[in-house]
Amino acid sequence: MDFLKAELAKKKAQLEEREKKLANGKGYVKRSAIAEYERERYFERCTKKVKTEAESTPVQENVNESPILKDSKQQLPEKEVIKRLRERGEPIKLFGETPPDTYLRLRHLEMQEPVASKSQTDFKTALDKIDQEYLNAMMMELHGDAMEPKPAKELPSLEEMKDKCDGISNPDTDTEKLYSLVNVFFKWLFDVWEESGEQKFRDNERDLHVKLEKAKIKQAESYLRPLFRSLKKKTLEEAILRSFGEIAGALLDRDYISANDSYLRTAIGNAAWPIGVTMVGIHARTGREKLFAHNVAHVLNDEVQRKYLQAIKRLMTFAQRQFPTDPSKSVEFNA
């Protein structure tokens, strides 16, 4: 109890001393004077603490410093450090970081993960594959073992495919038959696109636009593979199958506006709830019966569907370039 009384008396004396100092003979104390006094006391306490720690702590070497940094000759050039950091997706420079600090950070990253994970897109993978094929062909040509060019495929014309795929857009067409018609049409359209790209690549191998076009074809080929597998096994959803039949029929008629409308209905839908939400509570919504499968955004269902729908759109764009029609039936004509 005596300790508590002594502490209270000490605090009271400090307050009285502060008030006398701040009042300066006046009967009041300004709030700004109190704030300034507290600020001075704070800096005074911090200064004493820093001086005490500096006197008590002995001077020692930086234990975190790598022995590699002691010899500047062993450091990598700055360009090489930046290159390695970019390969790992790391920032090349942090705020206030010196070149030795950057090099040390790179060494720590390399010790934690020796092999950098190079994540790249499907398009970049297809582009690298084309470059590798081109380099292999050049090496074989240098060794006198040049590869013979692939013979051109004999593909049916658009009119022949129109007769062959008769009834593909008819809603009364049998589902079993529709699987075969859709598979045949899109395989034919992809073969025409691939043959066109090969012809351009043979004529001008080093043109950047031609190489990008071929990379798109390679990417679309991998995207369409699951679709063709589903059509062959007849496991594709009937709603998507009917939509693809409408798209194929419009492409055969060279009505690209209608084909684009069918594609948009398939990809993003035209309902107020495009993701497929049909019940938002315990009661039925008004107009719930209007939510059919063709109103659902199939592109949002999974990654595989998104990819082959993207490839279908590229096939539609190629068909408009390859088989032109009236401007009134074209999408973004002369765009």
Side-chain angles (χ1 to χ4, degrees):
M1 192 67 180
D2 295 338
F3 172 76
L4 183 59
K5 288 181 179 179
E7 191 67 25
L8 289 173
K10 182 181 176 182
K11 293 289 184 183
K12 188 175 180 181
Q14 288 178 354
L15 290 173
E16 289 177 355
E17 181 185 355
R18 188 186 70 173
E19 289 178 359
K20 288 179 182 179
K21 185 176 180 180
L22 296 178
N24 198 12
K26 299 178 181 179
Y28 60 91
V29 179
K30 290 185 178 181
R31 192 180 187 88
S32 59
I34 297 175
E36 184 65 24
Y37 176 77
E38 294 293 341
R39 182 171 177 272
E40 291 176 357
R41 291 290 303 276
Y42 171 76
F43 281 114
E44 184 180 351
R45 289 196 305 270
C46 291
T47 306
K48 288 182 180 179
K49 184 177 179 181
V50 170
K51 287 182 178 179
T52 306
E53 289 181 354
E55 292 174 357
S56 61
T57 305
V59 179
Q60 59 181 2
E61 294 183 358
N62 187 7
V63 295
N64 294 327
E65 185 177 1
S66 175
I68 300 174
L69 296 179
K70 294 180 180 180
D71 187 3
S72 59
K73 294 181 180 179
Q74 295 184 10
Q75 293 188 30
L76 292 173
E78 188 175 1
K79 290 184 178 180
E80 181 65 22
V81 173
I82 291 174
K83 179 184 175 184
R84 293 191 183 185
L85 287 172
R86 280 179 174 161
E87 286 178 354
R88 294 174 174 272
E90 297 288 336
I92 62 172
K93 185 74 68 175
L94 297 178
F95 180 76
E97 193 176 51
T98 60
D101 295 338
T102 308
Y103 176 66
L104 181 59
R105 179 162 59 89
L106 173 64
R107 290 305 305 271
H108 287 326
L109 290 171
E110 288 179 344
M111 285 188 290
Q112 292 174 2
E113 188 180 357
V115 181
S117 57
K118 297 181 180 179
S119 59
Q120 55 184 5
T121 60
D122 298 335
F123 185 75
K124 182 67 168 59
T125 304
L127 206 57
D128 293 342
K129 187 176 180 181
I130 292 172
D131 290 337
Q132 189 61 41
E133 290 177 356
Y134 180 66
L135 290 175
N136 293 339
M138 287 183 62
M139 293 299 294
M140 293 181 68
E141 187 176 352
L142 288 174
H143 290 83
D145 190 15
M147 295 177 61
E148 296 183 0
K150 295 180 181 179
K153 296 180 181 179
E154 294 184 1
L155 298 171
S157 63
L158 181 65
E159 297 300 327
E160 292 174 353
M161 285 302 300
K162 194 172 182 180
D163 296 337
K164 191 174 183 180
C165 299
D166 186 30
I168 192 171
S169 59
N170 191 346
D172 298 330
T173 304
D174 183 52
T175 306
E176 298 294 325
K177 182 181 178 182
L178 191 59
Y179 277 114
S180 176
L181 294 177
V182 172
N183 191 17
V184 168
F185 173 77
F186 283 111
K187 277 188 175 180
W188 167 80
L189 187 56
F190 178 77
D191 289 340
V192 174
W193 187 23
E194 186 179 29
E195 183 61 29
S196 174
E198 288 290 341
Q199 183 62 39
K200 292 178 182 178
F201 193 71
R202 283 193 294 266
D203 295 341
N204 197 352
E205 296 178 344
R206 299 188 180 184
D207 188 82
L208 178 61
H209 297 289
V210 174
K211 190 167 71 170
L212 292 176
E213 180 75 14
K214 191 173 181 182
K216 288 180 182 178
I217 295 172
K218 291 288 185 183
Q219 185 186 23
E221 183 181 9
S222 63
Y223 284 3
L224 287 170
R225 199 172 292 120
L227 174 62
F228 292 147
R229 191 183 304 118
S230 300
L231 290 171
K232 185 178 180 181
K233 294 182 179 180
K234 300 180 180 180
T235 56
L236 188 67
E237 296 180 23
E238 186 175 355
I240 304 179
L241 178 68
R242 296 286 176 183
S243 299
F244 284 167
E246 293 177 6
I247 294 172
L251 292 177
L252 287 170
D253 294 336
R254 294 192 293 179
D255 188 356
Y256 303 112
I257 293 290
S258 300
N260 189 64
D261 292 342
S262 300
Y263 172 80
L264 290 177
R265 284 196 299 270
T266 307
I268 61 176
N270 55 4
W273 298 83
I275 302 177
V277 178
T278 57
M279 293 292 290
V280 293
I282 60 175
H283 302 292
R285 289 177 52 234
T286 305
R288 177 177 174 270
E289 64 277 0
K290 296 181 181 179
L291 289 175
F292 297 106
H294 65 271
N295 298 119
V296 178
H298 295 287
V299 75
L300 304 176
N301 287 356
D302 57 61
E303 189 69 9
V304 176
Q305 288 184 353
R306 182 195 68 78
K307 287 182 176 180
Y308 65 63
L309 279 168
Q310 179 183 350
I312 291 293
K313 179 59 178 174
R314 287 182 174 173
L315 287 176
M316 293 166 56
T317 305
F318 165 75
Q320 180 172 326
R321 291 199 313 263
Q322 187 72 11
F323 310 109
T325 184
D326 299 333
S328 60
K329 295 183 179 180
S330 300
V331 180
E332 296 182 0
F333 190 79
N334 286 337

